[in-house]
Amino acid sequence: MAKRCLRIGDKGGFSKKITEKMVWEFAELTGDYSRIHVDKEFAKSTRYGRPIAHGLIAGSFISTVMGTELPGSGTIFLDQQIEFLLPVYYDDTITATVELCSVEEKHSVYIAELYGECMNQREEIVCRATAHQMLPKEFFEVL
């Protein structure tokens, strides 16, 4: 298998529409049935006026890019510092973009620092994160 060549500044992306069904499935998976996410009547009484998606749904799209596109398959997610800036509503389309910021060589692996952000269809940044990922040298080369 050929090594994947990466450069500082490389970018990747992923987009997906957040549906009510997806929010309910996330609640079922995690056990987080907070009323702000799943109770429309309750959500009407909040500052948001309607249900909002769990923040980690959008935040996980950054991980999706990191694991499938940049850097890609074969990597290990080490950590993520995420900041939630705006709510994500049912039917918002979220686009995650990730950029390779720096790479440190450590024996048989690289430790990559990546910056990611998620934007809604109104081009508002809803969350942003800095993350670190381990890239095995047998799969990756950094130029």
Side-chain angles (χ1 to χ4, degrees):
M1 182 168 124
K3 289 185 181 185
R4 173 134 190 232
C5 294
L6 300 172
R7 289 183 169 78
I8 303 303
D10 283 354
K11 293 182 181 181
F14 173 80
S15 292
K16 190 164 190 146
K17 183 176 182 176
I18 306 294
T19 65
E20 181 177 357
K21 180 180 184 227
M22 184 186 301
V23 171
W24 275 94
E25 289 172 342
F26 188 88
E28 183 177 322
L29 177 68
T30 64
D32 181 357
Y33 289 96
S34 175
R35 294 173 70 194
I36 192 68
H37 305 306
V38 298
D39 183 335
K40 290 179 183 178
E41 288 305 311
F42 173 79
K44 283 181 189 177
S45 69
T46 70
R47 65 187 295 172
Y48 305 109
R50 55 189 164 143
I52 60 173
H54 303 77
L56 285 177
I57 294 175
S60 71
F61 292 173
I62 294 169
S63 174
T64 297
V65 175
M66 291 169 53
T68 62
E69 190 176 334
L70 179 77
S73 189
T75 60
I76 303 296
F77 199 133
L78 298 175
D79 64 46
Q80 181 179 41
Q81 177 66 40
I82 192 164
E83 182 180 12
F84 300 101
L85 304 170
L86 292 171
V88 173
Y89 298 100
Y90 295 179
D91 299 321
D92 277 354
T93 297
I94 301 300
T95 300
T97 56
V98 173
E99 180 176 356
L100 181 61
C101 298
S102 66
V103 176
E104 183 179 339
E105 196 168 346
K106 290 210 173 184
H107 308 291
S108 64
V109 300
Y110 298 104
I111 303 298
E113 182 172 279
L114 300 111
Y115 172 77
E117 61 184 31
C118 293
M119 192 175 297
N120 62 24
Q121 70 277 7
R122 293 175 296 282
E123 298 187 3
E124 301 167 319
I125 298 172
V126 298
C127 66
R128 59 183 171 212
T130 301
H132 294 91
Q133 199 156 17
M134 184 182 353
L135 292 66
K137 286 183 180 177
E138 64 262 28
F139 301 133
F140 296 92
E141 181 178 0
V142 180
L143 305 175

